[in-house]
PDB file of all heavy atoms in Angstrom:
ATOM      1  N   CYS A  11      -6.011  21.105   8.802  1.00 92.00           N
ATOM      2  CA  CYS A  11      -5.548  22.160   9.691  1.00 92.00           C
ATOM      3  C   CYS A  11      -6.574  22.418  10.777  1.00 92.00           C
ATOM      4  O   CYS A  11      -7.717  22.768  10.491  1.00 92.00           O
ATOM      5  CB  CYS A  11      -5.293  23.439   8.899  1.00 92.00           C
ATOM      6  SG  CYS A  11      -4.851  24.828   9.957  1.00 92.00           S
ATOM      7  N   LEU A  13      -6.421  24.804  12.854  1.00 89.00           N
ATOM      8  CA  LEU A  13      -6.578  26.242  13.112  1.00 89.00           C
ATOM      9  C   LEU A  13      -7.665  26.850  12.241  1.00 89.00           C
ATOM     10  O   LEU A  13      -8.446  27.673  12.687  1.00 89.00           O
ATOM     11  CB  LEU A  13      -5.255  26.967  12.840  1.00 89.00           C
ATOM     12  CG  LEU A  13      -4.230  27.048  13.969  1.00 89.00           C
ATOM     13  CD1 LEU A  13      -2.992  27.778  13.479  1.00 89.00           C
ATOM     14  CD2 LEU A  13      -4.805  27.740  15.186  1.00 89.00           C
ATOM     15  N   CYS A  14      -7.666  26.489  10.939  1.00 89.00           N
ATOM     16  CA  CYS A  14      -8.594  27.150  10.009  1.00 89.00           C
ATOM     17  C   CYS A  14      -9.475  26.165   9.259  1.00 89.00           C
ATOM     18  O   CYS A  14     -10.190  26.563   8.335  1.00 89.00           O
ATOM     19  CB  CYS A  14      -7.824  28.042   9.037  1.00 89.00           C
ATOM     20  SG  CYS A  14      -6.937  27.135   7.758  1.00 89.00           S
ATOM     21  N   ASN A  15      -9.415  24.873   9.614  1.00 89.00           N
ATOM     22  CA  ASN A  15     -10.252  23.842   8.998  1.00 89.00           C
ATOM     23  C   ASN A  15      -9.943  23.569   7.523  1.00 89.00           C
ATOM     24  O   ASN A  15     -10.731  22.936   6.838  1.00 89.00           O
ATOM     25  CB  ASN A  15     -11.750  24.180   9.122  1.00 89.00           C
ATOM     26  CG  ASN A  15     -12.187  24.178  10.569  1.00 89.00           C
ATOM     27  OD1 ASN A  15     -11.601  23.476  11.391  1.00 89.00           O
ATOM     28  ND2 ASN A  15     -13.203  24.969  10.876  1.00 89.00           N
ATOM     29  N   SER A  16      -8.800  24.075   7.034  1.00 90.00           N
ATOM     30  CA  SER A  16      -8.461  23.824   5.632  1.00 90.00           C
ATOM     31  C   SER A  16      -7.931  22.404   5.464  1.00 90.00           C
ATOM     32  O   SER A  16      -7.290  21.852   6.359  1.00 90.00           O
ATOM     33  CB  SER A  16      -7.403  24.829   5.173  1.00 90.00           C
ATOM     34  OG  SER A  16      -6.852  24.400   3.947  1.00 90.00           O
ATOM     35  N   HIS A  19      -3.431  22.279   4.037  1.00 92.00           N
ATOM     36  CA  HIS A  19      -2.162  22.323   4.772  1.00 92.00           C
ATOM     37  C   HIS A  19      -2.386  21.788   6.176  1.00 92.00           C
ATOM     38  O   HIS A  19      -3.525  21.669   6.633  1.00 92.00           O
ATOM     39  CB  HIS A  19      -1.627  23.761   4.829  1.00 92.00           C
ATOM     40  CG  HIS A  19      -2.611  24.731   5.416  1.00 92.00           C
ATOM     41  ND1 HIS A  19      -3.299  25.651   4.666  1.00 92.00           N
ATOM     42  CD2 HIS A  19      -3.030  24.915   6.695  1.00 92.00           C
ATOM     43  CE1 HIS A  19      -4.093  26.363   5.445  1.00 92.00           C
ATOM     44  NE2 HIS A  19      -3.952  25.935   6.683  1.00 92.00           N
ATOM     45  N   SER A  20      -1.279  21.479   6.862  1.00 91.00           N
ATOM     46  CA  SER A  20      -1.396  21.025   8.240  1.00 91.00           C
ATOM     47  C   SER A  20      -1.319  22.236   9.172  1.00 91.00           C
ATOM     48  O   SER A  20      -0.962  23.334   8.754  1.00 91.00           O
ATOM     49  CB  SER A  20      -0.273  20.035   8.551  1.00 91.00           C
ATOM     50  OG  SER A  20       0.966  20.630   8.217  1.00 91.00           O
ATOM     51  N   CYS A  24       0.034  26.689   8.729  1.00 95.00           N
ATOM     52  CA  CYS A  24      -1.184  27.457   8.464  1.00 95.00           C
ATOM     53  C   CYS A  24      -0.840  28.932   8.228  1.00 95.00           C
ATOM     54  O   CYS A  24      -0.166  29.549   9.050  1.00 95.00           O
ATOM     55  CB  CYS A  24      -2.138  27.340   9.642  1.00 95.00           C
ATOM     56  SG  CYS A  24      -3.665  28.264   9.382  1.00 95.00           S
ATOM     57  N   PRO A  25      -1.293  29.503   7.094  1.00 96.00           N
ATOM     58  CA  PRO A  25      -1.006  30.918   6.836  1.00 96.00           C
ATOM     59  C   PRO A  25      -1.491  31.844   7.952  1.00 96.00           C
ATOM     60  O   PRO A  25      -0.941  32.926   8.135  1.00 96.00           O
ATOM     61  CB  PRO A  25      -1.766  31.210   5.530  1.00 96.00           C
ATOM     62  CG  PRO A  25      -1.933  29.887   4.873  1.00 96.00           C
ATOM     63  CD  PRO A  25      -2.052  28.889   5.994  1.00 96.00           C
ATOM     64  N   SER A  26      -2.500  31.397   8.699  1.00 94.00           N
ATOM     65  CA  SER A  26      -3.017  32.276   9.758  1.00 94.00           C
ATOM     66  C   SER A  26      -1.991  32.475  10.880  1.00 94.00           C
ATOM     67  O   SER A  26      -2.171  33.324  11.740  1.00 94.00           O
ATOM     68  CB  SER A  26      -4.322  31.725  10.326  1.00 94.00           C
ATOM     69  OG  SER A  26      -4.069  30.553  11.064  1.00 94.00           O
TER      70      SER A  26
HETATM   71 ZN1   ZN C 401      -4.893  26.564   8.423  1.00 80.46          ZN
END
Side-chain angles (χ1 to χ4, degrees):
Chain A
C11 175
L13 274 179
C14 75
N15 295 332
S16 166
H19 56 254
S20 53
C24 180
S26 70

